[in-house]
Amino acid sequence: MAGQPKKDKEDGSFMLKVATFIVDRRNLFFLLFGIALIFSVVSMKWVKVENAMSAYLPDTTETRQGLDLMEEQFITYGTAKVMVTNIPYGEAEKIAEKIENMDAVIMMAFDNTTEHYNNFSALYDITFGYEETDERALEALDEVEALLNGYDIYVSTSMGDASAKQIASEMQIISILVAIVVISVLLFTSETWAEVPVLLLTFCAAALITKGTNFAMGTISFVSNSVTIVLQLALSIDYAVIFCNRYKEEHRTLPVREADIVALSKSIPEISSSSLTTVGGLIAMMFMQFGIGRDMALCLIRAIVLSLLAVFLLMPGLLMLFGNAMDKTKHKSFIPKIPFVGKFAYATKRIMPPLFLVMIIGAYLLSSKCPYVYGYTMLETPVQSDAMLVDEMITESFGDSNMVALIVPAGNYEKEKELLEELDAREEIDYTMGLANTEAMDGYMLTDKLSARNFSELLELDYEVAEVLYMAYAVNDENYAKIVNGLSSYSVPLIDMFMFLYDEVDEGYVTLDDELMDTLEDAHTKMQIALDQLQGTDYSRILVYLNLPEEGEETFAFLDEMHAIAGKYYEGTILIPGEATSQYDLYKTFQRDNTVVNVVSILAVLVVLLFTFMSAGMPVLLIMVIQGVIWINFSVPAIQQKNVFFMSYLIVSSIQMGANIDYAIVISGRFMELKEKMSKKDAIIETMNFAFPTIVTSGSMLALAGIFIGQMSSDGAICGIGQCLGRGTIMSIIIVMFVLPQILLLGEKIIDRTSFAVSIPLKLEKGSGLIMVDGYVRGQLNGTFIGEMHGLIRGDASLFVTTGEMQVKQDSGEDMALLMEKKQEEEKKGREKEEHEKEEPEKEEPEKEVQDKEVQEKEVQDKKNQEKGQKMEQEEGRQ
């Protein structure tokens, strides 16, 4: 009954009303979550996944503009490289004939050069008669594989989604392993077995709804689709653990329902505040020019919000369901106390901070030299996909190719020919392919101009027919001067005349014999393919094969030089899309994104910490610690000279700043609270004992999730994120456990002096009857008082409460002295119980000695009370 007035007062608070509503309406929330889960199972099939990294380049980049222009102007046919091993050249030729005679194959490149036959292996470059995105192109490839059944074949193609399927398969295995880790960690850190299903059900519901609501974004990246659920688990499991621990704490004195309500009312602001640092770090990714950053940020922020909703709305009901089971399945905690960490921190408080400062300065200098790359060709992954193995085998036998497309304004074959000749003369270029240097027939190029006589000789066409044909072309071209002045000097590009002749035959204006018709049909097919791929309505496309790697300073510099060369021949838009250009664009966006992500993540977290600690010094210290860990993290690959995908740094640094700083907040907040109640040494020891379970629970999950992703994914971007995140989280745990405590001990005066917390205003509280006063107060009393303002009053009180509290009790009419003695006895027993739990019980004194000691303590206490009362009366008299 003694706590009832306080509870009534809390019931009046808004948060307590919200918590009561949620707990008492739990069946409603069970229904809502059930509907959401059923909907998510269906809606997961609606999610579209984008597998191309280039799709997330900014619209202003050359690659994005070039890809959009190529999609509009040209047709990209489905292609594949098929390598057949362990065959002699004669048999390779027979296979080439069979492939070339297939209906679905429109072009097939194979010869006796080392580019197509080497080390008893043949390489066939096949072009199908369907667009790259057409399912029929994949069916045609299946036919080729069926034709080569029995041979050792290896297929490399950009068609289909084989890589996406492999990534999905890998992530399923990773998710299972992470789930096993989560269950193991929760069992190890739990205090009751039945809390584990509560936590798992809460998270699984949040994860499933997250996956089901991905469709709302329209299309998500393959990176977000792969790692969001795993990262959601690692980032948000803390919220459920915090609420569960708060419930167990309240349940020590309250029944299940009341403990659930009070715990929820206290957890909502606490957990919401904790999540803000993570969200703040993720928001920084939304400022990236590279669109995958925004895509991942939106996916992860939505995942965290849904996790919060699951904890606040679903988990209270689950605690009510499992409450009795949790009571019955309690067990001893497996997490040990770690007083040695606090003692080590106190002993090295003047040593570790300077060492850490030197360390992070060195780490900053090293991390600035981290070898970032912008494509997959220079990355090594612990696991290689089937496609990677095939590409590696083809490269070993036939070398690698680095192709870019040069897009220039169409309509001038002479300029194109001159440009191609200049490009072919450069040592950086292996060869080029455009209409102006593609052979058509008998040594003539597609764009070579032929007169009527040359054309008739080439096709063995009657000269009079050729003249009529050229005259009709001139009329169609509105070139009437050629008709008047004669056709002998009139020449037309070969490809244009072929296409015109084909149209005339098709419309019935010209008739050819069967042999000539077959020649025309075959030539028309090849020329139409060339036109589809190399000439659009407004632009021409030239394929340039470079003798340079896909990325690097030399490659990037030559791309700029190619612009200058093409600019001598053409005015207007000149674009060079390709893998090399894509990586050049990513390199340029990284220079800006790197700065923006770092600044925004630090500012976002700084604002949250400022309002959390009400001190300017604390946020600076915590951010310095985590930013230092980020530099240390990325100095490792710099020392190893191991390439890191640039996106890994941007994403991991944001997640580290937002999520790992929670570990530092747990330690800092607890220490600042305890240092006012005990010595600094005891405070840091108790702080580390308190923080260790939280850090080991959350940190181990995030670290192991990152390690599994980094060691089991074949995708360079996903693998890099996992490796850097796992390594960075382990480093964060080590630093906040063995360096941050020393920084807090050394810098606590700075933190206090930079505090801008508002002083607690005086509370004037009134009451009558039996009143308990516990704290520093000043005011008027009318009644009988026993104690040092940590006692009981029967009468009227009007007091300003500076610290502590004043509570009106239910008056049972007992003697106040007896009430006070009972209160003191209860407090004494509580203290003895605490001391008994901390230390081994000392040998009990004889009963008589204990009684004598209690009498002496009471006499001393009464004397002190009397002296203080006299002092107060004297002071009031002076006033």
Side-chain angles (χ1 to χ4, degrees):
M1 298 298 290
Q4 191 64 38
K6 180 179 179 181
K7 183 176 181 299
D8 292 340
K9 185 177 178 181
E10 287 178 342
D11 283 340
S13 71
F14 172 76
M15 200 57 68
L16 209 56
K17 289 181 179 179
V18 171
T20 303
F21 175 82
I22 293 171
V23 172
D24 289 345
R25 299 293 186 274
R26 54 187 177 278
N27 289 333
L28 170 63
F29 291 109
F30 284 155
L31 175 63
L32 294 176
F33 271 88
I35 294 171
L37 289 170
I38 294 171
F39 175 79
S40 296
V41 171
V42 176
S43 63
M44 280 192 290
K45 301 175 183 177
W46 306 343
V47 180
K48 296 180 180 178
V49 180
E50 176 58 66
N51 296 308
M53 194 83 73
S54 57
Y56 292 93
L57 284 166
D59 293 336
T60 55
T61 59
E62 184 175 6
T63 303
R64 183 72 266 147
Q65 293 175 359
L67 291 174
D68 291 341
L69 192 61
M70 287 196 298
E71 187 175 353
E72 174 191 331
Q73 295 276 322
F74 310 104
I75 295 175
T76 301
Y77 288 98
T79 60
K81 288 184 177 183
V82 178
M83 184 174 76
V84 182
T85 61
N86 303 316
I87 57 169
Y89 181 73
E91 190 171 356
E93 280 188 312
K94 293 178 183 178
I95 291 175
E97 290 179 11
K98 291 180 181 179
I99 295 174
E100 199 167 16
N101 291 331
M102 294 179 67
D103 294 336
V105 176
I106 56 175
M107 287 182 64
M108 200 277 300
F110 177 77
D111 53 39
N112 61 356
T113 65
T114 55
E115 293 181 355
H116 291 100
Y117 186 81
N118 190 32
N119 296 329
F120 293 98
S121 297
L123 181 65
Y124 305 98
D125 287 322
I126 305 171
T127 302
F128 300 103
Y130 310 104
E131 291 189 44
E132 190 175 37
T133 56
D134 195 325
E135 285 294 325
R136 291 176 295 178
L138 282 173
E139 293 172 2
L141 179 59
D142 291 337
E143 292 177 12
V144 172
E145 293 180 1
L147 177 68
L148 300 175
N149 186 29
Y151 292 96
D152 295 329
I153 64 170
Y154 302 92
V155 180
S156 174
T157 181
S158 59
M159 300 186 299
D161 56 356
S163 60
K165 290 179 180 178
Q166 178 147 356
I167 291 173
S169 175
E170 291 168 352
M171 293 310 300
Q172 286 179 353
I173 297 173
I174 292 170
S175 298
I176 292 171
L177 290 175
V178 171
I180 294 172
V181 168
V182 169
I183 295 173
S184 301
V185 172
L186 291 179
L187 287 172
F188 176 74
T189 57
S190 67
E191 295 178 356
T192 168
W193 301 122
E195 72 184 63
V196 176
V198 173
L199 298 173
L200 290 177
L201 287 171
T202 302
F203 173 74
C204 290
L208 192 59
I209 295 173
T210 298
K211 204 166 182 63
T213 53
N214 280 336
F215 81 94
M217 294 181 65
T219 302
I220 64 172
S221 71
F222 70 98
V223 179
S224 301
N225 187 57
S226 300
V227 302
T228 295
I229 298 302
V230 177
L231 292 182
Q232 179 187 11
L233 166 62
L235 291 174
S236 60
I237 194 69
D238 269 358
Y239 311 147
V241 171
I242 290 172
F243 179 29
C244 188
N245 288 341
R246 176 68 72 175
Y247 164 78
K248 289 183 291 186
E249 183 179 340
E250 298 295 337
H251 188 41
R252 291 172 187 168
T253 56
L254 296 173
V256 172
R257 176 181 174 274
E258 286 73 11
D260 200 0
I261 293 171
V262 174
L264 181 60
S265 68
K266 293 179 179 179
S267 295
I268 290 176
E270 181 182 356
I271 294 172
S272 300
S273 175
S274 174
S275 67
L276 286 177
T277 55
T278 305
V279 172
L282 295 174
I283 285 175
M285 292 198 296
M286 297 182 66
F287 289 84
M288 289 170 55
Q289 286 182 310
F290 190 42
I292 280 187
R294 181 175 180 274
D295 182 81
M296 276 203 72
L298 289 175
C299 285
L300 286 172
I301 290 173
R302 178 165 46 82
I304 288 173
V305 171
L306 289 172
S307 295
L308 289 174
L309 290 177
V311 170
F312 295 155
L313 302 179
L314 176 63
M315 190 171 168
L318 294 175
L319 287 173
M320 291 294 292
L321 285 178
F322 287 84
N324 292 331
M326 290 173 66
D327 292 340
K328 295 176 182 177
T329 58
K330 289 182 180 180
H331 62 82
K332 184 180 178 181
S333 176
F334 301 118
I335 301 180
K337 299 289 184 181
I338 51 169
F340 64 92
V341 175
K343 293 176 181 178
F344 170 78
Y346 191 79
T348 59
K349 63 182 178 181
R350 299 186 185 278
I351 300 174
M352 294 303 294
L355 287 178
F356 180 67
L357 182 60
V358 173
M359 184 186 296
I360 62 174
I361 292 173
Y364 169 75
L365 296 174
L366 283 172
S367 64
S368 63
K369 298 178 181 179
C370 185
Y372 296 110
V373 295
Y374 308 91
Y376 284 7
T377 56
M378 298 177 69
L379 289 174
E380 295 181 4
T381 56
V383 177
Q384 287 188 303
S385 65
D386 295 339
M388 293 167 67
L389 292 171
V390 169
D391 289 340
E392 187 175 316
M393 292 185 66
I394 292 175
T395 299
E396 286 178 2
S397 297
F398 301 100
D400 200 4
S401 61
N402 178 16
M403 188 268 288
V404 294
L406 174 59
I407 300 175
V408 295
N412 195 321
Y413 294 140
E414 287 79 9
K415 286 185 177 180
E416 182 176 321
K417 184 177 181 180
E418 293 175 10
L419 173 60
L420 286 168
E421 288 175 351
E422 182 171 352
L423 291 174
D424 281 326
R426 295 297 299 260
E427 63 179 10
E428 295 91 346
I429 294 176
D430 185 13
Y431 66 95
T432 60
M433 185 184 297
L435 289 177
N437 68 351
T438 300
E439 184 177 352
M441 299 174 64
D442 295 346
Y444 286 109
M445 302 300 163
L446 288 174
T447 61
D448 285 352
K449 289 186 174 182
L450 276 68
S451 64
R453 183 167 297 282
N454 297 139
F455 189 73
S456 66
E457 291 174 354
L458 179 66
L459 287 183
E460 298 181 358
L461 183 67
D462 188 77
Y463 178 67
E464 286 75 15
V465 175
E467 274 195 315
V468 173
L469 186 65
Y470 267 64
M471 188 178 296
Y473 185 90
V475 172
N476 188 66
D477 198 34
E478 297 183 357
N479 200 336
Y480 303 111
K482 294 297 181 182
I483 301 174
V484 175
N485 297 329
L487 294 173
S488 58
S489 61
Y490 184 41
S491 59
V492 178
L494 176 59
I495 189 170
D496 293 346
M497 185 51 69
F498 253 106
M499 302 306 289
F500 181 73
L501 173 59
Y502 184 85
D503 291 340
E504 294 295 298
V505 171
D506 189 52
E507 293 175 11
Y509 298 124
V510 177
T511 304
L512 303 175
D513 60 50
D514 292 342
E515 184 178 351
L516 190 57
M517 192 64 199
D518 289 341
T519 302
L520 179 64
E521 287 278 3
D522 183 59
H524 173 266
T525 300
K526 293 180 180 178
M527 289 182 184
Q528 187 62 55
I529 293 169
L531 284 173
D532 289 342
Q533 296 187 94
L534 300 176
Q535 182 169 290
T537 307
D538 305 306
Y539 292 91
S540 291
R541 177 164 61 174
I542 298 170
L543 305 182
V544 181
Y545 291 83
L546 302 175
N547 290 321
L548 298 170
E550 285 189 357
E551 64 177 283
E553 292 183 6
E554 187 181 2
T555 303
F556 297 159
F558 187 69
L559 291 175
D560 291 334
E561 196 170 346
M562 281 180 62
H563 273 284
I565 294 171
K568 295 190 296 185
Y569 300 95
Y570 295 96
E571 295 180 358
T573 302
I574 297 172
L575 299 170
I576 311 177
E579 279 298 325
T581 308
S582 172
Q583 291 166 32
Y584 191 20
D585 287 334
L586 291 172
Y587 165 77
K588 289 183 282 190
T589 62
F590 178 64
Q591 308 309 306
R592 180 256 187 194
D593 287 347
N594 186 21
T595 302
V596 170
V597 167
N598 284 334
V599 171
V600 173
S601 62
I602 289 174
L603 288 177
V605 173
L606 180 64
V607 170
V608 175
L609 295 181
L610 279 173
F611 287 99
T612 300
F613 290 102
M614 293 296 179
S615 168
M618 180 67 84
V620 172
L621 288 177
L622 298 189
I623 288 175
M624 180 189 72
V625 169
I626 300 302
Q627 185 61 55
V629 177
I630 293 171
W631 288 333
I632 295 171
N633 186 12
F634 286 93
S635 66
V636 173
I639 295 171
Q640 297 174 334
Q641 281 302 296
K642 182 179 179 182
N643 294 331
V644 176
F645 194 57
F646 80 102
M647 191 173 70
S648 302
Y649 173 78
L650 296 174
I651 292 174
V652 171
S653 61
S654 297
I655 292 176
Q656 262 195 274
M657 180 57 71
N660 291 172
I661 205 166
D662 281 350
Y663 312 151
I665 292 173
V666 171
I667 293 174
S668 305
R670 188 68 170 184
F671 174 72
M672 298 306 291
E673 177 186 344
L674 293 180
K675 76 182 184 71
E676 303 296 335
K677 302 178 181 179
M678 58 185 73
S679 67
K680 304 292 189 299
K681 182 177 181 179
D682 292 339
I684 202 65
I685 292 173
E686 287 300 316
T687 294
M688 301 315 295
N689 284 334
F690 167 81
F692 181 63
T694 302
I695 293 174
V696 75
T697 302
S698 174
S700 60
M701 290 181 188
L702 186 56
L704 289 171
I707 290 170
F708 286 142
I709 293 172
Q711 295 300 315
M712 300 183 66
S713 175
S714 60
D715 182 84
I718 297 172
C719 173
I721 291 171
Q723 289 176 341
C724 295
L725 185 60
R727 183 177 62 239
T729 302
I730 292 172
M731 290 179 172
S732 295
I733 293 172
I734 294 172
I735 295 300
V736 299
M737 290 291 291
F738 296 100
V739 177
L740 178 62
Q742 290 89 325
I743 293 176
L744 292 174
L745 286 166
L746 198 63
E748 55 101 8
K749 291 182 179 179
I750 297 175
I751 297 169
D752 290 339
R753 289 174 183 174
T754 57
S755 174
F756 51 84
V758 180
S759 300
I760 301 174
L762 294 177
K763 298 182 293 182
L764 177 61
E765 297 195 12
K766 297 181 180 181
S768 34
L770 184 62
I771 306 166
M772 186 186 80
V773 179
D774 187 10
Y776 182 82
V777 298
R778 182 178 180 184
Q780 296 179 347
L781 299 175
N782 182 17
T784 305
F785 166 72
I786 296 179
E788 323 174 7
M789 287 303 172
H790 296 285
L792 297 171
I793 301 169
R794 179 175 283 128
D796 300 322
S798 178
L799 303 174
F800 285 104
V801 182
T802 304
T803 60
E805 60 185 350
M806 184 183 93
Q807 296 180 24
V808 178
K809 304 288 185 179
Q810 184 172 351
D811 194 348
S812 62
E814 290 185 66
D815 183 79
M816 283 188 60
L818 293 176
L819 288 173
M820 191 61 199
E821 286 179 4
K822 287 182 179 180
K823 180 177 181 298
Q824 289 176 344
E825 185 66 25
E826 290 174 358
E827 291 176 352
K828 182 179 178 181
K829 288 180 180 179
R831 287 193 299 270
E832 288 176 350
K833 185 178 180 182
E834 290 178 0
E835 291 173 359
H836 180 75
E837 290 175 351
K838 290 181 181 179
E839 302 174 359
E840 290 187 2
E842 298 179 0
K843 190 176 180 180
E844 293 185 2
E845 295 180 325
E847 185 178 350
K848 186 175 183 306
E849 292 180 3
V850 172
Q851 291 176 352
D852 293 342
K853 190 175 180 181
E854 289 178 354
V855 171
Q856 291 174 2
E857 287 179 353
K858 191 174 185 308
E859 289 177 353
V860 171
Q861 189 68 37
D862 292 341
K863 187 176 181 181
K864 287 182 179 180
N865 293 339
Q866 186 177 2
E867 290 175 355
K868 286 187 178 182
Q870 291 173 355
K871 288 181 180 179
M872 290 176 63
E873 290 176 1
Q874 292 173 2
E875 187 174 342
E876 288 177 359
R878 286 196 298 270
Q879 290 177 352

